[in-house]
């Protein structure tokens, strides 16, 4: 039985209008992760990442410290972190 990690995230700072979602999709895809991200009315980017623990941990670090080239991350919150036996998504998508 496969075991995956599922995590919800919210990134604060200058993360809208700087291609943050596209870079997030590309990074998640390169790590073999699935899920989604979207802009919120509050000016944050929210989403879900799912995959093997090592890749999820790498993505969490990227969301906390790197982001897109013109972004400025002030905070990144993670919630609802849990181990799951199946993935809820087949790709990583940018939602509008």
């Amino acid at each position: 039985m496969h075991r995956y990690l599922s995590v919800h995230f919210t990134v604060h700072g200058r993360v809208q209008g700087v291609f943050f979602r596209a870079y997030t999709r590309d990074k998640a895809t390169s790590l073999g992760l699935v899920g989604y991200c979207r802009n919120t009315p509050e000016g944050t980017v929210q989403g879900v990442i799912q995959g093997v623990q090592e890749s999820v941990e790498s993505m969490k670090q990227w969301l906390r410290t790197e982001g897109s080239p013109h972004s400025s991350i002030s905070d990144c919150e993670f919630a609802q972190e849990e181990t799951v036996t199946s993935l809820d998504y087949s790709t990583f998508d940018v939602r509008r």
Side-chain angles (χ1 to χ4, degrees):
M1 179 184 305
H2 292 284
R3 295 171 65 85
Y4 304 102
L5 199 57
S6 178
V7 182
H8 292 245
F9 65 88
T10 303
V11 185
H12 302 263
R14 187 165 50 95
V15 293
Q16 290 190 7
V18 292
F19 300 101
F20 192 90
R21 293 175 299 156
Y23 276 82
T24 300
R25 177 197 58 221
D26 293 348
K27 182 65 174 180
T29 300
S30 76
L31 291 170
L33 299 172
V34 298
Y36 71 90
C37 64
R38 65 177 176 217
N39 285 341
T40 69
E42 296 79 30
T44 64
V45 171
Q46 289 184 333
V48 175
I49 47 177
Q50 293 184 334
V52 296
Q53 182 171 353
E54 182 178 306
S55 294
V56 170
E57 294 301 334
S58 294
M59 188 70 192
K60 287 170 65 176
Q61 180 67 17
W62 185 89
L63 287 167
R64 276 193 295 265
T65 62
E66 194 169 336
S68 65
H70 296 289
S71 66
S72 176
I73 300 163
S74 62
D75 190 28
C76 187
E77 301 170 5
F78 299 101
Q80 295 176 274
E81 186 166 325
E82 61 184 340
T83 301
V84 295
T85 56
S86 63
L87 300 171
D88 296 324
Y89 310 92
S90 57
T91 60
F92 193 94
D93 297 314
V94 172
R95 295 187 178 173
R96 301 202 182 279

